[in-house]
Amino acid sequence: MRFSAIIVLAAMVQAGFAQDYAELVEAGKKHLEDKRYSEAADLFRRASNATENKSEKIYTLTNLGYAQRMSGKKESAAESYAKALAMDTSSIALLTQRGNILLELDSAKEAIVCYDKILAREPANREILQLRATAHTIAGNYKEGKIDYLKLISADGNNKDARLGLALLYEKEGNINEALMMLEVLIEENPSNPEYYIARSNIERAQKQPELALQDVEKAIELVADNANYHILRAELLKELGRDDAARRSRRKAIKLMSTPR
């Protein structure tokens, strides 16, 4: 009789854990929908602890990583994705998520390892090729990054992201003329894209040409007047040029934009 009671109690405990898991996951998903990421992370952590099922563990750890990332806890997110990958080493989605968070954490070399694993299985995956090219550029692997960018451009000559990335790679390796020529072409083809003016402005500023850099920033502001970062860049360049009053006005504009809810 006592033995039977213990079995019943054990079954009730297991059922309680299963119920807890389902309830925690549902609540966590609701918090994700509401963008309450810290609360979602806590619920998915508890859900992960409430199950021994491998698939459920992977699911909760993946969602935990996402919630942590969105709440600014990137190191913790990387750990959660690593735990999930330890149980599912072949998951392209998990390798992508971990690679991306490592890239955000300035761990480009580790991110490349993740992207290499994906591209070994999907060599034509353009999204991952772009990410690996970016990681190679950050890591200073300019030869490898160039190979990836040229693959992307060869597959699609209108791939503007790859062309911009290659221009920025040229800048980093010191090939300034190539970088500026590529940006010139991109601007001619897409004169309403502020990103290209900002990229060229950054190169011009690094080359001690603040007047040219200012012209490009001001063109970007014409196109997107409510970008606070552009006004900060403008303020910095005006300061370099000794135009202190104009710099203060631009900085005040940036502060106003940052404090205005959207």
Side-chain angles (χ1 to χ4, degrees):
M1 186 73 173
R2 183 180 175 188
F3 182 69
S4 299
I6 291 172
I7 293 175
V8 171
L9 179 60
M12 289 174 64
V13 170
Q14 288 178 350
F17 270 112
Q19 185 179 10
D20 286 347
Y21 170 84
E23 290 175 354
L24 290 165
V25 166
E26 286 305 309
K29 287 162 62 177
K30 180 67 169 62
H31 281 316
L32 285 182
E33 291 173 5
D34 295 339
K35 299 183 179 180
R36 298 174 62 182
Y37 299 115
S38 294
E39 293 90 337
D42 179 60
L43 287 162
F44 282 117
R45 186 184 298 106
R46 289 164 57 192
S48 179
N49 293 332
T51 181
E52 295 301 323
N53 180 279
K54 181 180 175 181
S55 297
E56 291 176 347
K57 280 274 192 188
I58 293 168
Y59 178 80
T60 52
L61 285 167
T62 302
N63 280 282
L64 173 59
Y66 175 75
Q68 288 168 328
R69 181 184 184 185
M70 296 303 292
S71 60
K73 297 178 180 177
K74 295 180 181 180
E75 291 85 357
S76 298
E79 291 176 12
S80 296
Y81 287 132
K83 289 177 182 178
L85 270 170
M87 290 182 279
D88 186 2
T89 57
S90 64
S91 170
I92 287 176
L94 280 171
L95 284 166
T96 302
Q97 292 292 346
R98 178 159 167 77
N100 291 351
I101 198 71
L102 288 169
L103 202 55
E104 291 178 22
L105 287 168
D106 296 324
S107 299
K109 291 182 179 179
E110 291 182 66
I112 289 166
V113 173
C114 293
Y115 300 143
D116 282 346
K117 290 178 180 178
I118 298 170
L119 289 165
R121 294 165 56 193
E122 297 184 359
N125 189 320
R126 295 184 188 180
E127 177 188 354
I128 303 302
L129 267 174
Q130 180 82 35
L131 288 166
R132 189 174 70 176
T134 300
H136 276 311
T137 303
I138 293 170
N141 305 330
Y142 302 128
K143 180 181 177 181
E144 293 84 352
K146 200 178 301 181
I147 290 170
D148 282 347
Y149 280 129
L150 290 174
K151 281 181 183 177
L152 289 163
I153 294 167
S154 175
D156 178 8
N158 289 320
N159 188 327
K160 297 178 182 63
D161 289 337
R163 291 165 67 194
L164 175 60
L166 184 56
L168 297 177
L169 183 152
Y170 281 136
E171 179 205 358
K172 284 188 173 291
E173 71 173 357
N175 199 339
I176 303 303
N177 288 336
E178 283 288 340
L180 288 172
M181 282 192 291
M182 288 198 72
L183 286 168
E184 185 68 32
V185 172
L186 283 168
I187 288 170
E188 286 179 3
E189 293 176 356
N190 309 273
S192 61
N193 189 325
E195 187 177 8
Y196 302 145
Y197 294 99
I198 294 298
R200 188 170 68 178
S201 172
N202 290 336
I203 296 175
E204 291 162 341
R205 186 180 183 184
Q207 295 300 303
K208 309 299 182 185
Q209 298 175 311
E211 286 282 6
L212 290 176
L214 179 60
Q215 289 176 24
D216 275 333
V217 170
E218 288 182 333
K219 180 60 180 178
I221 290 173
E222 284 179 24
L223 294 167
V224 185
D226 62 349
N227 188 307
N229 291 327
Y230 294 173
H231 288 276
I232 291 171
L233 285 173
R234 184 174 184 271
E236 291 173 352
L237 288 163
L238 288 166
K239 183 73 174 176
E240 287 181 24
L241 291 165
R243 297 166 59 182
D244 292 349
D245 288 344
R248 280 192 289 271
R249 288 195 295 273
S250 192
R251 196 169 293 278
R252 283 198 295 269
K253 177 67 173 178
I255 293 169
K256 183 178 179 181
L257 286 169
M258 286 188 286
S259 62
T260 301
R262 296 191 179 185

